């Protein structure tokens, strides 16, 4: 009886590992900034999962994992008294059908610029944007992961979107002005 329970738990943890290891590694990397340290954080997260009762986590596994991962990452940084946010990788980009090479290049440049602007967001906006759009968490899940209220999560996301939209609009206006100046000369 005891062996069957252990086997079920091992299978459950293995399934969670296969599904969430990469997203958690990316998330941890965005907080700690070093791949080896991020791996340690994710390993600690899954060790804690192994020590939990499955019944207590069922139904909110993703939120639980991201919350524990975040807390482990922050604890890791606190040990060295530093708090650094680094973009681990760009958000995944998908090639759209029917685009010309020029359109594809322009789209890639816009995505690259947007990723640069995301990195410049204040830390709290950066974190909720990553959790929402990179890891696809709901406002409620982000609230549980970060400890912020759902309303605050919505406010931060809205502020981040306005911030990014304004900067992208300014970039576009600046680009048009440069083109006009070239034509005048």
């Amino acid at each position: 009886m005891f062996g069957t329970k252990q086997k079920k738990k091992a299978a459950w943890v293995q399934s969670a590992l296969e599904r969430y290891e990469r997203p958690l590694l990316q998330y941890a990397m965005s907080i700690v900034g070093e791949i080896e340290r991020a791996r340690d954080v994710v390993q600690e997260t899954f060790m804690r999962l192994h020590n939990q009762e499955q019944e207590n986590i069922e139904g909110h596994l993703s939120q639980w994992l991201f919350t524990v991962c975040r807390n482990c990452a922050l604890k890791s940084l606190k040990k060295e008294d530093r708090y650094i946010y680094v973009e681990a990788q760009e958000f995944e980009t998908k090639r759209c059908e029917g685009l010309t090479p020029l359109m594809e290049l322009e789209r890639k440049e816009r995505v690259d610029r947007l990723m640069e602007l995301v990195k410049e967001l204040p830390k709290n906006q950066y974190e909720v944007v990553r959790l929402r759009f990179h890891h696809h968490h709901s406002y409620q899940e982000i609230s549980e992961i970060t400890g912020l209220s759902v309303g605050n999560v919505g406010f931060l996301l809205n502020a981040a979107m306005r911030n990014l939209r304004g900067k992208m609009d300014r970039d576009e206006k600046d680009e048009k002005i440069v083109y006009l100046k070239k034509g005048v000369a």
Side-chain angles (χ1 to χ4, degrees):
M1 188 73 158
F2 185 72
T4 304
K5 187 175 181 180
Q6 289 291 350
K7 287 180 183 177
K8 283 184 178 180
K9 186 169 202 169
W12 174 64
V13 172
Q14 181 63 34
S15 173
L17 180 69
E18 290 169 3
R19 180 164 183 216
Y20 292 104
E21 181 180 28
R22 186 179 185 124
L24 287 172
L25 187 59
Q26 291 172 334
Y27 183 55
M29 180 67 185
S30 75
I31 296 172
V32 299
E34 300 170 13
I35 191 65
E36 289 306 317
R37 185 182 243 179
R39 286 185 179 127
D40 291 343
V41 165
V42 172
Q43 182 177 13
E44 175 69 20
T45 301
F46 282 105
M47 290 300 295
R48 290 185 183 191
L49 177 65
H50 184 268
N51 294 331
Q52 291 294 313
E53 292 298 322
Q54 184 176 353
E55 300 80 34
N56 297 339
I57 301 173
E58 234 14 86
H60 62 278
L61 177 61
S62 177
Q63 299 96 297
W64 188 92
L65 286 169
F66 275 87
T67 301
V68 171
C69 182
R70 177 180 190 264
N71 292 340
C72 289
L74 295 176
K75 184 179 175 184
S76 171
L77 289 176
K78 193 173 185 179
K79 284 181 183 176
E80 291 189 20
D81 198 32
R82 35 181 238 186
Y83 198 86
I84 303 169
Y85 276 78
V86 177
E87 181 70 23
Q89 296 179 358
E90 290 184 12
F91 294 125
E92 289 184 29
T93 56
K94 295 182 179 166
R95 185 175 176 87
C96 297
E97 297 299 321
L99 291 180
T100 65
L102 179 60
M103 291 167 65
E104 181 69 22
L105 179 63
E106 289 173 347
R107 186 192 65 78
K108 184 180 179 335
E109 287 174 353
R110 281 194 309 275
V111 168
D112 289 346
R113 178 62 181 147
L114 181 60
M115 294 310 302
E116 289 173 18
L117 295 174
V118 167
K119 290 178 194 176
E120 295 172 6
L121 288 171
K123 290 177 184 174
N124 56 357
Q125 290 179 16
Y126 173 80
E127 184 173 18
V128 296
V129 165
R130 295 266 314 161
L131 287 169
R132 178 72 177 145
F133 297 106
H134 185 75
H135 298 290
H136 311 291
H137 286 287
S138 69
Y139 284 32
Q140 181 63 43
E141 292 167 339
I142 296 169
S143 170
E144 292 169 9
I145 291 167
T146 62
L148 299 169
S149 70
V150 174
N152 199 0
V153 169
F155 175 80
L156 288 172
L157 282 169
N158 190 311
M161 294 302 106
R162 278 194 322 264
N163 192 347
L164 292 170
R165 193 175 302 116
K167 288 180 178 184
M168 290 294 283
D169 288 347
R170 280 192 294 280
D171 280 358
E172 190 175 303
K173 287 178 185 175
D174 290 345
E175 188 175 308
K176 288 178 183 176
I177 291 169
V178 169
Y179 286 135
L180 286 175
K181 287 181 181 176
K182 285 182 181 178
V184 172

